[in-house]
Amino acid sequence: MLVQDRAVPKSPKPPQIRKLPTVQSNRLSDPKNLDFSAWVPDNCYKIVTILVLILTIAAVFFIYSSTNTAFLLCLQSETQSAVDSISLPQINWNSIKPIPDRTSPYANFRSEQWVVVSVSNYPSDALKKVVKIKGWQVLAIGNSRTPSDWSLKGAIFLSLDMQANLGFRVVDHLPYDSYVRKSVGYLFAIQHGAKKIFDADDRGEVIDNDLGKHFDVELVGEGARQEVILQYSHDNPNRTVVNPYIHFGQRSVWPRGLPLENVGDFGHEEFYTEVFGGKQFIQQGISNGLPDVDSVFYFTRKSGFEAFDIRFDEHAPKVAFPQGMMVPLNSFNTLYHSSAFWALMLPVSVSTMASDVLRGYWGQRLLWEIGGNVAVYPPTVHRYDRIEAYPFSEEKDLHVNVGRLIKFLVSWRSNKHRLFEKILDLSYAMAEEGFWTEQDLKFTAAWLQDLVAVGYQQPRLMTLELDRPRANIGHGDRKEYIPQKLPSVHLAVEETGVVSSEIGNLIRWRKNFGNIVLIMFCNGPVERTALEWRLLYGRIFKTVVIFSAQKNSDLAIEEGQLDQIYKHLPKIFDRFSSADGFLFLEDDTVLNYWNLLQADKTKLWITDKVSMSWSTVSTKGSSDWYSKQAELVRKVVSTMPVHFQVNYREVVRSDQSLTICSSEIFYIPQRFVADFVDLVNLVGHLDIHQKVSIPMFFLSMDSPQNFDSVLSTMVYKPEPQSANSSSTHYSAHAPAVHPWKVSSEQEFIKLIRIMGEGDPLLTELV
């Protein structure tokens, strides 16, 4: 309507009608005869002109259309390419202009020691004490939830408006309601002369109001302690992450960010080494009261509404970490020296509970590039438990990705020649691997440019020790330290001076199965049970690999169909080539791991002595399915090498019989892995069902009389008519129980409570 109105405007006055002169009509006169032969020569030039004009217009239209189509195709290709790939930001470091403080009232203020804290509420009692610590300037960073009239004498407060006016590039990438806005505070502190930054929160009280009591505030000069530091041993290169709480007397507590598969590592160090101090540019403090724990610990160790008050050994020596070994770091009790200021950047594309942990691992890996290390210190703050629910969903990035992230970081290498280029290179690689998104890659570029703009000088690179041959640790280099065993809380059970028998059992189970890989197939909804299965069995086994009919990358669920799942096992064998063995388990079967200690881990385990699981059927007159499966088995057996075929023929002597095994649970030791892979390759693309292939493989690999009989006493019942009837046949004295349905959190809780008869530590898990 608007186009029409604008094309034909209404006239304000009616148009004047002009009277045309009278023209005499000639319609009735005789028409002229058209002589075509005479007309063509007379109008030849007109015809030629019109043809040339038509051809010209057609040519122009064709060229334009072709060019336009090519342009559109090119544009579409480029757009698709931009979506599919992540581009590395290009930065001209020499063209970055300085950013002076021209807007805040503190433009001329300078301090070398800063405490940076995020505030969402009015000043806490703890923060009122921190602001009185001599020699340290408190910088409070506001967000959208902070009261507009926030004020605390002695503290500098930066509201959202003040942050926006500072001119930092990072402001454009920050959420309004998150503590990750502390990144603005770090830059502000560096801009105003910071040499040390204590990363804190507003509910941690500094013990004795002295950050220097345990922290090494000075690394060089007269105030430096100039001492050697106890260091974890690099004797085992495959050990890439450590729970530091064990060193400080709490072996049943673990920090947020520790991979769940490492939670069961309770043993103290056999020995330590030593390293000269002065390079611990990142110093992580321990927190008494409510330490930095994840929601899994918080919910499973909570006893009613009683607040946590966990204490660590304040007399334990600080401990450093060698290159190749990492530790979870947080954002509320950590001291950064200027050489590591670049590592303060808090990612913005991951959940808030994962941001500082990912920052910590990212920063530790880059710290090795400048010869620095991380050290963990005895209790430096006391945090009070407010008895608030920890958001489990906010930790998804941790429980799913952190183990894979650590492995990735340890193996990552870069050929860049300057630290900031390496930082950008690693952030790019992490975006490509999906640990964070391209948003954090762009944020990294903005962060680094802001660092340069506020006058920060990037440290020089050092030779990476990881790429050098490691020296053997001699007898004289080994330093022994046995941590105390302080009263603790584990699954709501108080430890009293010594490790309880329940913890002792858990250590024994972990020692026995710690190098066994558990491979699970989930028939139920994995989004409701995957993390629970990993929590339950991850305490015992080396790792838990989960398959399901639907892939779920967020939960690290791999795709596979149950009737052909055996074809996926070789890739798991190859992935964990150093494992002692592999235990397969369907989620409708409960594993009572405490009854497997006597099993021989060098033998095959299967349910060949469980009549309801293992059977032989005759294919004479049987259904088409059995006949077809038997025909496929005969085809594979005929191609088997002699050692496989002889083993198989000793048991199955007739081609008219077919061995069936439900195959809900079986174990393959490392010495039979190569045989299993060979048999899978013999099957190839043949459609042999899991229930047929597994017994065929086992009978081919070894004689049944050599199988371990550990599973012979398992409880195996028909499928229950109702969900409630399954609980009646559970036995904690059997090695396994089938069937058992778990498809929801409530059903998992029910299972955990019943399993508590065999593993008492589970009784308070829910």
Side-chain angles (χ1 to χ4, degrees):
M1 181 65 74
L2 289 175
V3 174
Q4 292 174 347
D5 289 346
R6 293 181 63 178
V8 187
K10 294 181 179 180
S11 181
K13 295 181 180 180
Q16 296 287 333
I17 301 177
R18 289 170 29 185
K19 190 174 182 178
L20 296 175
T22 302
V23 179
Q24 187 176 358
S25 176
N26 203 26
R27 287 187 302 162
L28 298 178
S29 60
D30 293 333
K32 294 182 180 180
N33 293 330
L34 180 62
D35 187 354
F36 189 79
S37 59
W39 181 85
V40 170
D42 294 340
N43 297 278
C44 182
Y45 74 97
K46 294 181 181 179
I47 297 172
V48 172
T49 302
I50 292 172
L51 287 175
V52 171
L53 183 61
I54 292 172
L55 290 174
T56 303
I57 294 172
V60 170
F61 180 79
F62 175 79
I63 294 172
Y64 173 79
S65 299
S66 300
T67 306
N68 195 43
T69 302
F71 170 76
L72 290 174
L73 290 173
C74 181
L75 180 61
Q76 183 180 7
S77 175
E78 290 179 357
T79 303
Q80 184 64 35
S81 177
V83 171
D84 294 340
S85 64
I86 298 174
S87 58
L88 180 68
Q90 301 298 317
I91 301 174
N92 184 348
W93 303 102
N94 296 323
S95 66
I96 299 173
K97 296 181 180 179
I99 301 179
D101 182 0
R102 292 176 178 155
T103 59
S104 80
Y106 315 102
N108 297 320
F109 178 79
R110 294 291 182 273
S111 178
E112 292 189 355
Q113 299 180 154
W114 291 74
V115 178
V116 178
V117 58
S118 174
V119 292
S120 298
N121 301 303
Y122 287 108
S124 63
D125 292 337
L127 190 58
K128 291 176 182 177
K129 294 179 181 178
V130 172
V131 81
K132 296 179 181 178
I133 298 177
K134 185 178 180 180
W136 290 83
Q137 175 59 52
V138 171
L139 175 61
I141 306 301
N143 55 58
S144 59
R145 293 172 292 163
T146 310
S148 58
D149 58 344
W150 196 98
S151 177
L152 178 61
K153 185 178 180 180
I156 294 175
F157 172 62
L158 295 181
S159 65
L160 285 177
D161 290 339
M162 294 178 69
Q163 296 170 38
N165 292 328
L166 291 173
F168 298 144
R169 297 169 179 82
V170 298
V171 174
D172 295 335
H173 301 268
L174 297 172
Y176 287 103
D177 61 346
S178 173
Y179 78 93
V180 301
R181 298 194 69 86
K182 291 170 78 174
S183 294
V184 175
Y186 306 142
L187 290 169
F188 184 88
I190 297 168
Q191 185 185 51
H192 291 79
K195 302 297 181 186
K196 300 107 183 175
I197 294 178
F198 179 54
D199 207 8
D201 75 352
D202 63 351
R203 61 170 162 168
E205 292 186 2
V206 176
I207 295 175
D208 295 335
N209 287 327
D210 183 9
L211 284 171
K213 180 177 181 179
H214 290 306
F215 281 132
D216 288 313
V217 177
E218 301 295 339
L219 294 180
V220 295
E222 296 181 0
R225 290 191 171 104
Q226 302 292 335
E227 58 186 358
V228 293
I229 303 174
L230 215 58
Q231 179 177 258
Y232 282 96
S233 166
H234 62 259
D235 191 48
N236 181 2
N238 296 319
R239 190 182 183 204
T240 56
V241 65
V242 172
N243 178 1
Y245 291 173
I246 299 173
H247 177 84
F248 294 95
Q250 292 289 358
R251 61 181 57 192
S252 60
V253 185
W254 67 86
R256 178 173 54 96
L258 186 75
L260 288 181
E261 57 263 32
N262 296 95
V263 165
D265 297 336
F266 294 105
H268 64 76
E269 299 302 300
E270 181 181 349
F271 62 88
Y272 295 81
T273 58
E274 288 182 331
V275 64
F276 286 107
K279 295 290 187 178
Q280 59 273 32
F281 301 139
I282 301 178
Q283 302 173 15
Q284 177 64 65
I286 298 288
S287 301
N288 277 337
L290 177 63
D292 184 24
V293 294
D294 60 23
S295 61
V296 175
F297 179 92
Y298 194 84
F299 283 124
T300 59
R301 307 301 175 94
K302 198 73 172 175
S303 179
F305 292 100
E306 183 180 354
F308 275 134
D309 189 12
I310 301 173
R311 303 300 176 106
F312 294 85
D313 183 6
E314 64 175 331
H315 301 293
K318 60 194 171 191
V319 60
F321 292 77
Q323 292 189 15
M325 186 179 293
M326 294 186 170
V327 62
L329 303 178
N330 59 52
S331 60
F332 56 76
N333 187 17
T334 314
L335 181 66
Y336 284 76
H337 284 262
S338 60
S339 294
F341 280 172
W342 47 266
L344 283 161
M345 182 196 81
L346 287 164
V348 295
S349 68
V350 297
S351 61
T352 55
M353 297 298 285
S355 181
D356 56 347
V357 173
L358 264 65
R359 173 188 76 171
Y361 286 126
W362 169 84
Q364 285 176 79
R365 175 58 188 86
L366 292 163
L367 196 63
W368 301 342
E369 300 288 344
I370 61 172
N373 58 33
V374 169
V376 179
Y377 288 71
T380 50
V381 303
H382 187 104
R383 297 173 75 235
Y384 292 96
D385 183 6
R386 295 174 178 169
I387 318 180
E388 295 175 352
Y390 272 45
F392 183 82
S393 60
E394 281 290 300
E395 294 181 354
K396 183 184 73 172
D397 295 322
L398 292 182
H399 301 307
V400 173
N401 287 326
V402 70
R404 185 170 67 93
L405 171 63
I406 293 169
K407 294 176 183 177
F408 166 78
L409 291 173
V410 172
S411 63
W412 175 81
R413 298 292 185 274
S414 172
N415 58 5
K416 302 298 182 181
H417 301 295
R418 299 180 69 190
L419 177 63
F420 280 12
E421 292 174 352
K422 283 183 180 285
I423 293 174
L424 205 58
D425 199 28
L426 177 56
S427 296
Y428 173 76
M430 286 178 61
E432 281 197 319
E433 292 292 326
F435 296 115
W436 56 33
T437 71
E438 188 175 12
Q439 182 184 3
D440 270 315
L441 175 59
K442 295 177 180 177
F443 183 55
T444 305
W447 166 258
L448 295 176
Q449 291 178 84
D450 282 342
L451 282 176
V452 173
V454 297
Y456 181 73
Q457 299 292 321
Q458 58 178 308
R460 296 178 59 184
L461 297 175
M462 304 282 285
T463 304
L464 194 64
E465 292 180 11
L466 277 181
D467 295 334
R468 301 181 194 167
R470 292 290 182 102
N472 292 328
I473 302 174
H475 231 13
D477 298 325
R478 301 185 177 203
K479 305 299 176 182
E480 184 175 301
Y481 172 74
I482 300 177
Q484 289 194 42
K485 301 170 184 176
L486 299 179
S488 181
V489 177
H490 48 272
L491 300 177
V493 180
E494 289 285 341
E495 250 186 311
T496 55
V498 295
V499 180
S500 66
S501 60
E502 289 85 358
I503 288 291
N505 284 335
L506 193 55
I507 294 173
R508 192 154 54 99
W509 300 331
R510 177 69 183 187
K511 184 177 181 180
N512 193 71
F513 300 112
N515 203 30
I516 302 293
V517 174
L518 180 65
I519 305 171
M520 288 195 69
F521 186 90
C522 285
N523 294 286
V526 291
E527 67 276 3
R528 300 179 188 172
T529 59
L531 288 178
E532 284 83 353
W533 288 126
R534 285 199 173 100
L535 174 61
L536 172 61
Y537 293 129
R539 302 153 55 242
I540 308 299
F541 295 95
K542 179 183 180 72
T543 191
V544 179
V545 178
I546 299 180
F547 281 91
S548 180
Q550 297 293 327
K551 182 178 181 180
N552 189 320
S553 300
D554 290 339
L555 295 175
I557 306 299
E558 304 188 33
E559 184 179 2
Q561 299 302 319
L562 179 58
D563 56 356
Q564 301 279 306
I565 199 64
Y566 63 92
K567 294 183 179 181
H568 295 271
L569 299 188
K571 69 178 181 181
I572 306 301
F573 299 161
D574 185 60
R575 189 185 307 169
F576 300 98
S577 58
S578 63
D580 292 338
F582 300 86
L583 181 62
F584 178 85
L585 182 71
E586 286 188 47
D587 65 345
D588 61 355
T589 302
V590 177
L591 184 67
N592 292 338
Y593 41 82
W594 52 86
N595 293 321
L596 301 178
L597 289 175
Q598 303 306 317
D600 190 338
K601 293 182 293 182
T602 65
K603 293 184 176 182
L604 294 166
W605 311 349
I606 200 167
T607 54
D608 62 309
K609 294 181 175 62
V610 181
S611 59
M612 294 191 67
S613 173
W614 183 287
S615 61
T616 300
V617 299
S618 174
T619 58
K620 288 183 178 180
S622 60
S623 67
D624 288 344
W625 187 86
Y626 286 111
S627 299
K628 291 178 180 178
Q629 289 293 304
E631 178 61 32
L632 294 176
V633 168
R634 287 192 291 271
K635 184 178 294 187
V636 172
V637 172
S638 66
T639 62
M640 285 182 179
V642 61
H643 57 289
F644 289 149
Q645 194 169 140
V646 168
N647 286 338
Y648 183 81
R649 293 294 187 191
E650 283 184 356
V651 181
V652 184
R653 304 185 180 221
S654 171
D655 288 340
Q656 302 300 318
S657 63
L658 183 67
T659 303
I660 304 292
C661 179
S662 55
S663 305
E664 292 93 357
I665 178 172
F666 56 85
Y667 171 76
I668 304 166
Q670 181 62 243
R671 70 188 185 99
F672 284 107
V673 162
D675 289 346
F676 191 96
V677 173
D678 289 343
L679 289 165
V680 171
N681 291 334
L682 286 176
V683 171
H685 297 294
L686 296 179
D687 190 19
I688 300 182
H689 197 280
Q690 165 106 340
K691 294 182 178 181
V692 176
S693 63
I694 293 301
M696 178 181 68
F697 291 174
F698 271 64
L699 295 176
S700 302
M701 289 188 290
D702 203 0
S703 171
Q705 66 185 20
N706 295 328
F707 296 171
D708 194 288
S709 60
V710 64
L711 298 177
S712 62
T713 58
M714 76 174 286
V715 174
Y716 199 102
K717 300 289 184 181
E719 290 292 331
Q721 298 300 315
S722 65
N724 295 328
S725 61
S726 62
S727 60
T728 60
H729 67 256
Y730 178 82
S731 171
H733 304 290
V737 177
H738 174 87
W740 193 283
K741 181 182 178 183
V742 176
S743 59
S744 66
E745 186 176 349
Q746 290 73 24
E747 291 173 349
F748 185 81
I749 291 172
K750 179 180 177 182
L751 171 64
I752 291 299
R753 286 174 176 160
I754 294 178
M755 291 180 69
E757 182 182 349
D759 183 355
L761 285 180
L762 294 175
T763 57
E764 299 296 334
L765 187 62
V766 291

